[in-house]
Amino acid sequence: MEDFYPSRISEKPQIMKRRDPVIHTDRKHDHEAPLTKDQLDFYEENGFLQIENLFSDKEVAAMQKAIFELQESNSCVQSEKMIREPNSNEIRSIFAVDQDDDYFKDIAADQRLLDIVNHLLGSDVYVHQSRINYKPGFSGKEFNWHSDFETWHTEDGMPRMRALSMSIALSDNYVHNGPLMLVPGSHKYYVSCIGATPEDNYKESLKTQKVGVPDNDSLKWLVDQGGGLSVATGKAGTITIFESNTMHASTSNMTPYPRNNLFMVYNSVENKLVEPFAGAGERPEYIAVRKTTEPLGKEKILK
Ligand code: 6CS
Ligand code: FE
């Protein structure tokens, strides 16, 4: 298959234009959308969107309890799906929560979320990746600048930009406890990164990402395009949707307040994974789903 977004191949970084729509539904049908025109315009222009109060306080409290229990019950468990902080034994991420736990499976298939995702991606969808990111107080370390799509394309073989992340804040995200930082408008460009992909890169990259991060000049260029930087703060329950190629990062958490988020990555069923473009073998199913790609939701959008 043609590589529309080459990366980690050339010795020089390169910035190219995005070659896919941001909203994959014909915008003539916006009146049927679960989002307002202003929300859709914001997402299309900035590459992310925050929504408050989609879940009730009771639902948010239940999710908080569920991720706390998972953290407690796994504190001594050794599993590949459990990523520890680089310099401590605290849990940084738990992957594939929607595959392993019916409660999270139901959240991923919540029709309120699917209505939005189906509209933005213009098709049926499945979960490409799910995870809880715990960023514990004092010890939670940063996530370097990256476009998720760059990794999913090179390491997982995701062909096109037709996926998005849905992040549900499960603690209050303040400016000071390491919230998500985004470069508004960066989703319109693709930074082709330098550096080959090491074997089993994910074993390191999920703790500290070194390959697939933009060079400083490219990042500055993206920020200088006018959008500056945005910070996705919000009370627990706030949803942040961000496009697969939106450049983002977060700093370490030096405060006593944990920053916990649940992530579901939805991919279009028309954009299923092929062979990884970096040629370095497939990542495990708990990071990049290949088997369970049946469309989610009660009413399927048939094409
Ligand atoms: O490698 C990945 O797929 C993941 N890594 C990061 C740092 N963010 C997105 C994605 O979950
Ligand atoms: Fe990311």
Side-chain angles (χ1 to χ4, degrees), residues 95 129 131 143 146 148 151-152 205-206 209 283 287:
F95 275 81
Q129 180 186 88
R131 81 198 120 99
F143 288 84
H146 64 281
D148 291 334
T151 294
W152 299 335
S205 71
L206 300 177
Q209 188 175 348
R283 299 199 295 177
I287 303 177

Side-chain angles (χ1 to χ4, degrees), residues 50-273:
Q50 290 194 283
I51 301 172
E52 288 186 337
N53 304 321
L54 186 133
F55 294 110
S56 69
D57 290 349
K58 211 172 142 194
E59 287 173 313
V60 175
M63 289 186 221
Q64 288 177 303
K65 185 163 171 274
I67 68 157
F68 178 73
E69 284 172 2
L70 213 54
Q71 189 179 26
E72 291 287 291
S73 63
N74 283 302
S75 63
C76 299
V77 174
Q78 286 305 325
S79 154
E80 280 203 300
K81 299 177 189 175
M82 216 89 61
I83 313 297
R84 305 273 163 182
E85 287 294 342
N87 303 316
S88 86
N89 203 37
E90 287 197 80
I91 298 174
R92 177 175 172 87
S93 307
I94 303 179
F95 275 81
V97 287
D98 77 305
Q99 292 173 24
D100 295 343
D101 188 319
D102 284 345
Y103 176 74
F104 292 106
K105 192 182 198 147
D106 287 349
I107 295 174
D110 187 288
Q111 198 58 46
R112 290 165 292 183
L113 298 179
L114 290 181
D115 285 345
I116 296 171
V117 180
N118 286 145
H119 188 82
L120 294 175
L121 299 184
S123 69
D124 282 328
V125 299
Y126 68 95
V127 174
H128 162 69
Q129 180 186 88
S130 73
R131 81 198 120 99
I132 301 164
N133 279 353
Y134 299 94
K135 196 184 268 190
F138 302 116
S139 61
K141 288 287 173 267
E142 70 273 7
F143 288 84
N144 283 347
W145 288 108
H146 64 281
S147 140
D148 291 334
F149 178 78
E150 195 277 344
T151 294
W152 299 335
H153 183 70
T154 51
E155 296 191 30
D156 299 332
M158 183 182 284
R160 307 296 291 254
M161 294 178 184
R162 196 169 177 182
L164 57 79
S165 286
M166 180 77 80
S167 163
I168 306 172
L170 292 179
S171 61
D172 295 341
N173 280 229
Y174 305 106
V175 283
H176 50 58
N177 63 345
L180 186 68
M181 297 189 288
L182 304 128
V183 183
S186 56
H187 62 305
K188 295 177 193 166
Y189 303 96
Y190 181 68
V191 180
S192 182
C193 301
I194 51 168
T197 311
E199 205 180 312
D200 288 345
N201 181 41
Y202 66 93
K203 291 187 179 160
E204 169 154 23
S205 71
L206 300 177
K207 284 176 184 270
T208 307
Q209 188 175 348
K210 293 190 179 138
V211 180
V213 294
D215 58 293
N216 290 352
D217 288 344
S218 298
L219 186 72
K220 184 172 182 319
W221 187 89
L222 287 177
V223 173
D224 285 348
Q225 292 317 291
L229 291 171
S230 288
V231 186
T233 53
K235 64 180 168 85
T238 303
I239 291 172
T240 304
I241 304 170
F242 56 104
E243 208 284 326
S244 62
N245 186 47
T246 305
M247 195 59 78
H248 60 283
S250 64
T251 61
S252 65
N253 184 4
M254 298 167 78
T255 76
Y257 310 112
R259 188 225 53 165
N260 302 327
N261 291 340
L262 168 65
F263 284 82
M264 268 93 59
V265 178
Y266 296 95
N267 188 27
S268 166
V269 293
E270 291 166 31
N271 193 36
K272 287 183 189 165
L273 306 187

Side-chain angles (χ1 to χ4, degrees), residues 22-32 36-45 119:
V22 178
I23 295 178
H24 295 260
T25 304
D26 186 340
R27 298 247 0 223
K28 284 202 294 284
H29 301 299
D30 278 0
H31 59 276
E32 295 166 10
T36 64
K37 181 174 182 304
D38 282 353
Q39 287 175 310
L40 291 165
D41 288 346
F42 187 93
Y43 179 79
E44 193 164 47
E45 189 51 32
H119 188 82

